[in-house]
Amino acid sequence: MKFIVIAAAVSVCLADKLPSHFGYASQPSSAFSHRSRPASRPSFSAPRPAPQPTYSAPRSAPGPIVPILVDDRVHPDAAGAYSFNVETGDGISRQESGSPIPTKEGPVTAMSGSYSFTLPDGQQFELRFIADENGFQPQSAFLPVAPAFPHPIPAHALEQIERARQEDAARSRQGSSQGYSAPVPSRSSRPSNSYGFPQ
């Protein structure tokens, strides 16, 4: 019972402090004032409608406006097949199409397409690709190409190959059938328990 009385007293004190945006006019003094004053009515107002967003182009564009010349899109159908083709006035072009294909691991979307644009030096960059169960496979004259194999073997690699051949020949002359083993460390190559310069 004491809790209810204390809670009611705290509520009355806090009600006097309610901000006016809750719809109540705030009273300058406590509700327990000894002066009589006219009862103030709560002031309610209808909520204002939220401002509607407006969309427009920027007033000062940082550069020229590039028109979209082609924008053909076919959204995925029930089977999952799709395609699109977009071209802009500054020479950018992007085409792609895809559809699901069955594989051992489950269906994957096989895609093919291309994109092209003008490089800063004026060259036309073009890349064609296929992406399917075998991964992404790009083709372009601008992509780096691995050297043809067999390529020349560097001299240091040839020296190591010759050294390994000589070691194998020496072991076979000795008649050792033990195979390769780790070298036995000498006394000077064993780790020490003290710190310092190697000796």
Side-chain angles (χ1 to χ4, degrees):
M1 184 68 174
K2 290 179 187 177
F3 177 74
I4 294 173
V5 171
I6 292 173
V10 170
S11 319
V12 169
C13 292
L14 291 178
D16 185 43
K17 305 293 185 205
L18 283 176
S20 61
H21 68 271
F22 283 121
Y24 298 100
S26 61
Q27 299 173 355
S29 63
S30 170
F32 297 106
S33 173
H34 67 282
R35 288 190 213 150
S36 65
R37 57 187 161 170
S40 63
R41 293 185 178 173
S43 62
F44 294 101
S45 61
R48 295 183 188 152
Q52 296 298 318
T54 57
Y55 301 100
S56 62
R59 292 200 170 102
S60 61
I65 296 175
V66 178
I68 297 175
L69 304 176
V70 177
D71 188 1
D72 296 328
R73 298 168 193 252
V74 177
H75 294 285
D77 59 14
Y82 72 95
S83 67
F84 65 85
N85 179 16
V86 177
E87 293 179 27
T88 62
D90 61 354
I92 298 173
S93 175
R94 174 88 163 90
Q95 300 87 27
E96 183 176 312
S97 63
S99 61
I101 59 170
T103 64
K104 292 181 212 174
E105 292 82 25
V108 298
T109 301
M111 298 175 268
S112 64
S114 66
Y115 54 89
S116 64
F117 54 90
T118 305
L119 294 170
D121 64 0
Q123 295 183 61
Q124 186 70 18
F125 177 88
E126 184 173 358
L127 183 133
R128 297 186 179 281
F129 67 89
I130 295 173
D132 56 14
E133 69 273 11
N134 298 320
F136 183 72
Q137 304 156 44
Q139 296 176 350
S140 174
F142 288 89
L143 294 177
V145 178
F149 194 81
H151 51 78
I153 298 175
H156 70 278
L158 290 173
E159 292 170 6
Q160 290 178 348
I161 292 170
E162 178 60 24
R163 182 175 174 192
R165 187 193 62 73
Q166 290 173 356
E167 288 176 357
D168 287 344
R171 279 199 184 94
S172 66
R173 281 192 301 265
Q174 292 175 357
S176 173
S177 62
Q178 295 175 358
Y180 292 102
S181 62
V184 177
S186 65
R187 180 178 176 100
S188 63
S189 66
R190 290 188 182 158
S192 71
N193 293 335
S194 62
Y195 295 100
F197 290 107
Q199 298 175 358

